[in-house]
Amino acid sequence: MLTITNVTWLDLLYLTGVTVGVYLVKQTVIKKNPAPYPPGPRGWPLIGNVLDMPRIKAWITFTKWGKKYGDITHIEVLGRHIIVLNSVKTAMDMMDSKSTLYSDRPVLPMAGELQRKNLHRVIGSRAAVDVYNEIEEEHIRYTVGAVTLRISHGYEVKEKDDPFVDLANRVLTHASRALAPGAFIVDIVPFLAKVPAWFPGAGFKRIACEWRGALEEMVSTPHQFVKDQMVAGIAPVSFTSNLLEGSGVSAEEDYAVKWSAFSLYAGGTDTTVSAIYSLFLAMTLFPDVQKKAQAEIDVVVGPDRLPTFADRDSLPYTDALVKEVLRWHVVGPTGLPHCVTEDDIHDGYYIPKGSLVIPNIWFMLNDPRAYTNPSQFNPERFLAEDGKEPEMEPRTVCFGFGRRICPGLHLADASIWITTVMSLAVFDISKVVEHGVKVTPEIDQLPGSTCHLKPFKCSIKPRSTTALELIEQ
């Protein structure tokens, strides 16, 4: 999401003054562009498109731009070029086919390639993720945070008020705000990172300092927990113990493992929670879909046990339902921005080095050219029935593009699937009845890089006495 927070108009005037010199030099020194920029809203002198940048639900504004200007839109903010992509083809042509040019990304200081290599090694394929299937199945009655902490650090959470979960939720709230593209002015004007904290508009430095302590605690404490358990010989299999096993782990490698494990938790938990919330909302709003999935589960699994991953291939409708969960409510509507490493000419447009490239994933998964009645929750769109071809696979889009595709996509997919199939096997989800009237939940989102639904009411009841017994087990 593109928003600028903690900046007053006075701050903006100060920042504008700082950029005047840069702008004047730019006009006199820089050579003529080899091709035109992509089309986009016309900006103002000096400040560019600052006033055009959406503050909430950026994907809606990006969609309007796409309809008006085409699949590639350009804006410029205080000298920083931003490219918005509004079609799957364009995103793949640029970020997949030209991945060497479009795979850089503005990252947090603690992120880097060592983390991505560790993530790929331990959870980078379906086969690698299979080792954690039993954990997913056994702990589904706890929160997603509990499941992810068990996988990342082998840590069993308390059923209520667990200190790690509480701390992690606070850190993830900070991260969601920080990772939203343009959430802070320093993301758009990087040189502000070097200004003193008293400089107008530099309030982000105070906020970063406050958040840093919680982040350090969340990264280091579970990591030390695993190391202590390994010394005692009682560490269960986990992402961290897998990478630390053996001898000769250097300080640099230990550091990378520590931050990789946190990345696994942060990336997996927040997005999975969002997807599961959308599952329960969809089942509340579309009861016929729920009944059809439950009928399939009842035939394949039966009433006497919970589903497992071994049942997945035999549950095509339920699998299609999971795909529709990922498409219908897009967890990362604008993804994470990529950064261009070198000047490029694409489709006749000039994409300068250093540009931020933002895929409008929300529109790609709600594009009526790709999906029939996209606002409708319809798993059957992904089934090859009655001679029709299934519609576009959402997992090719929702986890990102190119070399920066989400390394935890297989784990996330597995988490969402097992939660869906187990929940539908034992629960009936429906609208709440208040004063004799069924309450229809509103579909609305909270701000942040991970798109969470606003709280809503629904009724969740065991389907039968047998289902209740399975839940209690």
Side-chain angles (χ1 to χ4, degrees):
M1 177 183 297
L2 283 174
T3 56
I4 297 180
T5 58
N6 306 301
V7 181
T8 66
W9 278 106
L10 181 60
D11 294 336
L12 186 58
L13 289 174
Y14 272 100
L15 295 172
T16 301
V18 171
T19 60
V20 168
V22 176
Y23 176 83
L24 293 176
V25 170
K26 177 180 174 182
Q27 299 305 307
T28 57
V29 175
I30 295 181
K31 297 179 181 179
K32 184 178 179 180
N33 292 339
Y37 294 123
R42 186 175 180 180
W44 291 84
L46 302 182
I47 63 173
N49 296 101
V50 166
L51 304 181
D52 295 309
M53 293 175 64
R55 295 183 177 275
I56 58 173
K57 297 182 180 178
W59 56 94
I60 302 298
T61 300
F62 293 165
T63 297
K64 292 178 181 178
W65 289 353
K67 292 178 179 178
K68 183 174 182 179
Y69 301 110
D71 291 342
I72 308 178
T73 303
H74 166 264
I75 61 173
E76 184 178 357
V77 178
L78 300 176
R80 187 67 180 264
H81 297 276
I82 300 173
I83 308 296
V84 178
L85 307 181
N86 271 296
S87 79
V88 175
K89 182 181 184 304
T90 302
M92 289 186 170
D93 286 347
M94 295 175 75
M95 291 188 282
D96 282 354
S97 299
K98 297 182 177 180
S99 60
T100 55
L101 292 180
Y102 289 89
S103 289
D104 202 3
R105 175 181 287 168
V107 294
L108 293 174
M110 299 302 177
E113 286 306 312
L114 281 175
Q115 293 179 35
R116 292 188 61 82
K117 290 177 181 178
N118 284 338
L119 289 167
H120 181 76
R121 171 182 158 190
V122 181
I123 58 168
S125 67
R126 286 194 180 276
V129 168
D130 284 348
V131 69
Y132 302 110
N133 283 354
E134 185 177 349
I135 296 171
E136 295 275 6
E137 294 167 1
E138 288 180 357
H139 292 260
I140 199 64
R141 62 188 178 275
Y142 295 130
T143 65
V144 173
V147 174
T148 313
L149 272 172
R150 176 65 177 84
I151 292 173
S152 63
H153 296 89
Y155 175 75
E156 295 282 357
V157 306
K158 299 177 182 178
E159 291 197 29
K160 292 183 179 179
D161 302 322
D162 186 271
F164 278 2
V165 173
D166 292 342
L167 176 62
N169 287 339
R170 188 164 75 250
V171 170
L172 291 179
T173 299
H174 298 163
S176 184
R177 289 180 58 192
L179 287 172
F184 295 92
I185 191 66
V186 69
D187 295 333
I188 305 300
V189 190
F191 72 80
L192 288 177
K194 298 181 180 180
V195 303
W198 53 261
F199 190 82
F204 60 86
K205 287 202 163 186
R206 175 184 54 79
I207 294 172
C209 183
E210 292 175 357
W211 291 355
R212 183 70 187 184
L215 175 62
E216 287 283 1
E217 184 181 354
M218 182 59 217
V219 171
S220 299
T221 308
H223 184 73
Q224 189 60 48
F225 166 82
V226 177
K227 293 172 73 173
D228 291 344
Q229 285 208 319
M230 291 180 72
V231 170
I234 58 173
V237 174
S238 70
F239 175 91
T240 301
S241 65
N242 184 309
L243 291 171
L244 291 179
E245 65 183 359
S247 58
V249 177
S250 67
E252 181 182 4
E253 290 169 335
D254 184 76
Y255 181 85
V257 170
K258 177 171 68 173
W259 283 93
S260 297
F262 171 74
S263 297
L264 169 61
Y265 183 90
T269 304
D270 212 25
T271 54
T272 304
V273 166
S274 176
I276 292 171
Y277 266 86
S278 70
L279 163 70
F280 277 79
L281 178 59
M283 296 302 94
T284 303
L285 296 175
F286 302 97
D288 290 345
V289 171
Q290 177 179 190
K291 291 177 182 177
K292 190 166 184 177
Q294 288 174 331
E296 181 184 67
I297 294 168
D298 291 345
V299 170
V300 173
V301 178
D304 300 326
R305 66 176 178 88
L306 288 171
T308 70
F309 284 100
D311 300 309
R312 186 166 190 174
D313 290 342
S314 302
L315 298 168
Y317 185 84
T318 307
D319 202 50
L321 189 154
V322 172
K323 293 180 183 179
E324 185 69 337
V325 166
L326 295 172
R327 186 206 66 82
W328 182 68
H329 172 69
V330 184
V331 171
T334 57
L336 291 175
H338 289 223
C339 192
V340 184
T341 57
E342 298 292 341
D343 289 351
D344 185 36
I345 305 292
H346 189 84
D347 283 352
Y349 295 125
Y350 176 49
I351 313 294
K353 176 181 178 179
S355 297
L356 296 184
V357 181
I358 301 174
N360 186 4
I361 292 175
W362 181 88
F363 179 69
M364 295 176 194
L365 294 176
N366 284 271
D367 188 344
R369 296 172 295 184
Y371 299 104
T372 304
N373 298 324
S375 62
Q376 187 75 12
F377 189 92
N378 178 24
E380 292 177 0
R381 69 175 76 248
F382 300 116
L383 299 175
E385 295 180 341
D386 302 325
K388 71 176 181 67
E389 290 294 322
E391 295 180 351
M392 184 181 69
E393 164 65 72
R395 288 176 294 198
T396 62
V397 176
C398 66
F399 292 110
F401 299 92
R403 297 181 182 180
R404 295 294 179 175
I405 192 170
C406 172
L409 65 92
H410 298 296
L411 183 60
D413 177 64
S415 299
I416 297 166
W417 187 86
I418 197 64
T419 300
T420 298
V421 70
M422 283 191 171
S423 297
L424 295 180
V426 295
F427 292 120
D428 280 324
I429 305 161
S430 60
K431 295 179 181 179
V432 168
V433 177
E434 294 182 345
H435 309 295
V437 178
K438 290 184 177 181
V439 178
T440 300
E442 179 185 8
I443 304 174
D444 202 0
Q445 297 87 14
L446 298 170
S449 60
T450 300
C451 187
H452 288 280
L453 291 163
K454 287 186 176 180
F456 61 91
K457 294 181 179 180
C458 68
S459 172
I460 305 172
K461 298 179 179 178
R463 295 179 64 197
S464 65
T465 302
T466 302
L468 180 59
E469 291 174 356
L470 291 174
I471 295 167
E472 290 175 344
Q473 288 175 11

